[in-house]
C-alpha cells in the first residue's frame, strides 16, 4: 500500500478528518472536539495517526487546563517536569514562554526529556498566547532521518549507545543546590543511538544535540590509531548525527494560532522552537506522557 492509499484507508476508518501536511511528517486533524472524552475507537484512531504521521495538529481547541490534562492522560501516565514552572492547579502542565525581557531557549533540536531513564512517549502542547508573527515550531521525522543514512554509517552506529543529560539544557536555570539535588535524582541516562519504535517497529535515530553529551561505548566499537583520533572521531560522528535533524526534507513547520494543539511522538521526532519573535511573547502549556525505556 502506497502513502496515498494508506491515508485514504485512514480516512475511512477514523471518526475525524486527516490531512497530511508533508509527505513524510505531520497531519492536520479536523472534525473533532477535544473537550469531549475520547471514546475507544477515537482514541485508537488518534494513536494510530500519531504513530504514522509523528505529529498531529488540532486547530481551534479552546480547552481548559483540566481538559488538557485529562486529554493527555488518555494516552498514558503524565510526568511532572523537575525544572519548568507548572500550572498552579495542575502540576502535570508546564508553562513555557519567556517575556518581553527574556527570550525562550528551546531553539535547539531535541526530543523532550530524553535525559530520563524512561523518556516520554509524547507531548501535547497548546498555544495560549501567540506573537503577532513568528514563533513557529519545526518537527523532524527521525525514522526518516535514520532511513536516509548511508549504509556504512548505519553499520558504524549499530550497537552504539548515547549518554543523555539534563544539565546541558537545564543546569543554568538551577541554583547550585538545585543542581546537586537534580543530579542525584536524574543521573545521565544511556540509550541506544538507534532505537526501535515499540508500536511501528521503525528504526529511529535517537541522538539529539539538546541533551546528548557523548557516546558511552564508542571506543569498544570503533578502531582508532591514537587517543586523539578516538575523541575527535567520536565528536565528528556525533556532529554528523546531530545534523540529520536539520534536513528540510525530514521536517514540517507549523504556524501557531491561539488554541492550536500539537501532539507529537517523542520517540520518533525531534523539534525546534523558532525564537524569531522577541520581544513579543508566546505562552504555551505542555503535558508530557511517560513512555518506555528505549531499546
Amino acid at each position: 500500500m502506497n502513502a496515498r492509499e494508506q491515508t485514504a484507508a485512514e480516512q475511512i476508518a477514523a471518526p475525524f478528518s486527516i490531512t497530511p501536511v508533508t509527505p513524510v511528517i505531520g497531519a492536520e486533524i479536523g472534525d473533532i472536539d477535544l473537550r469531549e472524552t475520547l471514546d475507544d475507537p477515537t482514541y485508537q484512531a488518534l494513536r494510530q495517526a500519531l504513530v504514522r504521521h509523528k505529529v498531529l495538529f488540532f486547530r481551534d481547541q479552546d480547552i481548559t487546563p483540566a481538559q488538557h490534562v485529562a486529554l493527555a492522560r488518555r494516552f498514558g501516565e503524565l510526568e511532572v517536569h523537575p525544572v519548568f514552572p507548572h500550572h498552579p492547579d495542575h502540576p502535570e502542565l508546564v508553562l513555557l514562554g519567556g517575556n518581553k525581557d527574556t527570550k525562550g531557549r528551546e531553539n535547539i533540536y531535541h526530543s523532550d526529556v530524553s535525559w530520563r531513564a524512561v523518556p516520554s512517549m509524547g507531548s501535547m502542547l497548546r498555544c495560549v498566547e501567540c506573537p503577532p508573527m513568528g514563533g513557529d515550531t519545526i518537527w523532524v521525522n527521525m525514522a526518516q532521518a535514520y532511513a536516509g543514512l548511508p549504509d556504512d554509517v548505519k553499520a558504524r552506529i549499530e550497537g552504539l549507545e548515547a549518554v543523555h543529560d539534563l544539565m546541558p539544557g537545564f543546569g543554568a536555570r538551577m541554583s547550585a543546590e538545585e543542581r546537586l539535588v537534580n543530579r542525584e535524582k536524574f543521573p545521565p541516562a544511556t540509550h541506544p543511538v538507534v532505537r526501535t519504535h515499540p508500536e511501528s517497529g521503525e528504526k529511529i535515530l535517537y541522538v539529539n544535540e539538546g541533551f546528548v553529551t557523548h557516546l558511552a561505548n564508542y571506543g569498544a566499537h570503533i578502531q582508532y590509531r591514537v587517543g586523539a583520533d578516538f575523541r575527535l572521531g567520536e565528536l565528528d560522528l556525533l556532529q554528523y548525527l546531530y545534523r540529520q535533524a536539520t534536513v528540510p526534507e525530514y521536517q514540517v513547520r507549523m504556524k501557531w494560532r491561539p488554541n492550536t494543539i500539537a501532539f507529537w511522538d517523542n520517540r520518533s521526532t525531534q523539534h525546534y522552537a523558532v525564537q524569531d519573535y522577541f520581544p513579543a511573547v508566546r505562552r504555551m502549556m505542555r503535558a508530557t506522557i511517560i513512555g518506555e525505556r528505549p531499546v
Side-chain angles (χ1 to χ4, degrees):
M1 183 183 294
N2 62 36
R4 182 173 295 177
E5 290 170 337
Q6 189 170 355
T7 299
E10 279 185 305
Q11 292 281 16
I12 294 170
F16 44 76
S17 64
I18 304 172
T19 306
V21 181
T22 81
V24 297
I25 181 171
E28 294 261 6
I29 305 298
D31 302 317
I32 189 170
D33 186 345
L34 296 180
R35 295 172 299 180
E36 300 177 359
T37 302
L38 301 180
D39 59 27
D40 287 344
T42 303
Y43 161 75
Q44 292 293 345
L46 278 177
R47 192 168 188 115
Q48 290 170 11
L50 178 70
V51 171
R52 168 157 157 65
H53 296 284
K54 310 297 190 287
V55 56
L56 306 178
F57 306 124
F58 306 83
R59 298 291 191 181
D60 303 316
Q61 299 289 335
D62 188 8
I63 62 175
T64 67
Q67 289 167 333
H68 189 164
V69 169
L71 173 64
R73 187 170 281 131
R74 186 71 171 87
F75 291 85
E77 183 182 353
L78 304 184
E79 72 162 37
V80 175
H81 198 282
V83 181
F84 281 133
H86 308 144
H87 188 281
D89 300 321
H90 303 281
E92 305 92 342
L93 283 182
V94 298
L95 308 179
L96 299 173
N99 53 49
K100 64 180 180 62
D101 301 313
T102 306
K103 287 184 178 181
R105 289 186 289 182
E106 294 81 32
N107 53 337
I108 187 169
Y109 287 103
H110 66 285
S111 175
D112 289 334
V113 302
S114 68
W115 42 264
R116 288 186 182 270
V118 180
S120 72
M121 178 280 277
S123 294
M124 194 173 287
L125 182 67
R126 181 173 75 93
C127 183
V128 178
E129 179 183 352
C130 299
M133 65 179 70
D136 299 353
T137 300
I138 297 166
W139 284 268
V140 191
N141 181 340
M142 297 308 295
Q144 193 76 18
Y146 174 79
L149 291 173
D151 288 342
D152 65 310
V153 176
K154 290 179 180 177
R156 189 179 178 197
I157 64 178
E158 184 176 356
L160 288 182
E161 297 177 335
V163 177
H164 299 240
D165 195 345
L166 164 77
M167 290 301 167
F170 291 102
R173 302 171 187 248
M174 307 177 199
S175 66
E177 183 178 352
E178 288 171 334
R179 284 195 292 273
L180 289 174
V181 170
N182 281 305
R183 176 79 297 163
E184 184 174 352
K185 290 173 62 178
F186 304 104
T190 301
H191 302 310
V193 167
V194 181
R195 70 177 294 182
T196 301
H197 196 286
E199 297 179 64
S200 70
E202 294 173 296
K203 287 190 172 182
I204 298 153
L205 181 60
Y206 197 64
V207 172
N208 71 85
E209 65 178 340
F211 299 120
V212 168
T213 57
H214 63 285
L215 299 171
N217 58 344
Y218 181 79
H221 283 252
I222 305 296
Q223 296 295 318
Y224 57 93
R225 180 178 57 92
V226 295
D229 284 354
F230 158 68
R231 184 58 177 150
L232 293 177
E234 178 189 14
L235 293 174
D236 285 346
L237 178 57
L238 273 177
Q239 289 296 325
Y240 176 82
L241 297 177
Y242 293 155
R243 288 198 300 273
Q244 302 312 303
T246 69
V247 175
E249 285 80 2
Y250 305 153
Q251 298 179 348
V252 63
R253 180 165 176 154
M254 198 269 288
K255 186 172 294 296
W256 292 97
R257 301 197 302 259
N259 292 321
T260 294
I261 293 175
F263 180 22
W264 65 93
D265 190 332
N266 263 312
R267 300 165 296 188
S268 57
T269 66
Q270 291 184 35
H271 57 283
Y272 182 110
V274 181
Q275 303 290 337
D276 58 354
Y277 54 90
F278 185 79
V281 173
R282 191 187 75 165
R283 294 192 303 115
M284 320 287 275
M285 291 186 187
R286 189 188 79 197
T288 302
I289 302 150
I290 298 171
E292 55 283 305
R293 188 180 295 274
V295 294

